[in-house]
Amino acid sequence: MYGEPQWAVVGDTYPVGCQFSDKIVYPEFFEANPDYSDERYNTKFGVYSENCGLDQVKMSWGHDEYLYHVMKDYLPKPALYIIRYHSFYAQHREDAYSHLMNEEDYENFEWVKKFNPYDLYSKVPIPPDAKSLRPYYEDLIAKYLPKELRF
Ligand SMILES: [Fe+2]
């Protein structure tokens, strides 16, 4: 694992503060995470309550969480769900954290699932031409975001 502690390894994202699901990719490595044996965090609900809603749940760090915090004041909810939870495979593919989900989460996870075909293994072997694509993305940014972002 190149010397990183378990919690610094990204890929799937998952809730922290409650038991790690064995549906998260490479679950055997969670034994190396100090939270694994901490009684405050290693029960089904941990620090949370039943169906509290994912907005109450802290997620592991990764590009999902980073971009969510950058965009949270600017994009509509379905888009924010896609950004924040697209790597949360243990839920959107395996249903392993339904006990933390509320109605709003279920409704918006329909969008997360629609996005999924464009996530893992959807990339082409030839790198895209960043220069020719740039105007397209700059137009999108200009359409949906203000000139300066607050976060
Ligand atoms: Fe991603």
Side-chain angles (χ1 to χ4, degrees):
M1 296 289 265
Y2 306 105
E4 295 96 338
Q6 188 281 334
W7 52 263
V9 179
V10 297
D12 276 19
T13 57
Y14 46 83
V16 295
C18 61
Q19 196 169 58
F20 302 117
S21 166
D22 62 3
K23 305 293 189 203
I24 302 165
V25 71
Y26 298 122
E28 61 274 27
F29 293 105
F30 280 105
E31 285 177 40
N33 186 317
D35 289 358
Y36 181 88
S37 47
D38 190 319
E39 289 172 5
R40 293 170 296 173
Y41 311 130
N42 66 5
T43 60
K44 181 176 179 182
F45 290 102
V47 300
Y48 308 114
S49 56
E50 188 163 13
N51 301 118
C52 59
L54 292 180
D55 63 341
Q56 302 298 309
V57 172
K58 284 198 171 25
M59 296 295 290
S60 59
W61 186 249
H63 67 257
D64 312 51
E65 195 65 9
Y66 169 77
L67 192 61
Y68 164 73
H69 284 285
V70 172
M71 295 294 171
K72 68 181 183 329
D73 296 331
Y74 304 107
L75 298 181
K77 236 170 203 169
L80 293 173
Y81 266 82
I82 289 170
I83 291 169
R84 193 174 199 184
Y85 301 114
H86 71 272
S87 305
F88 188 13
Y89 280 83
Q91 180 55 37
H92 68 69
R93 182 169 287 173
E94 305 283 351
D95 242 6
Y97 287 95
S98 298
H99 53 287
L100 300 178
M101 302 265 285
N102 64 17
E103 275 307 307
E104 187 180 34
D105 295 328
Y106 277 109
E107 284 165 25
N108 283 289
F109 263 58
E110 291 306 311
W111 292 103
V112 178
K113 288 175 187 172
K114 281 187 208 298
F115 175 80
N116 187 248
Y118 311 103
D119 192 22
L120 301 179
Y121 313 115
S122 62
K123 316 301 186 288
V124 292
I126 304 150
D129 178 358
K131 203 172 169 199
S132 68
L133 289 170
R134 193 176 177 98
Y136 170 76
Y137 287 103
E138 281 178 343
D139 282 355
L140 282 179
I141 290 166
K143 182 174 177 186
Y144 292 104
L145 297 172
K147 275 213 168 345
E148 281 187 27
L149 303 179
R150 292 169 279 107
F151 69 98

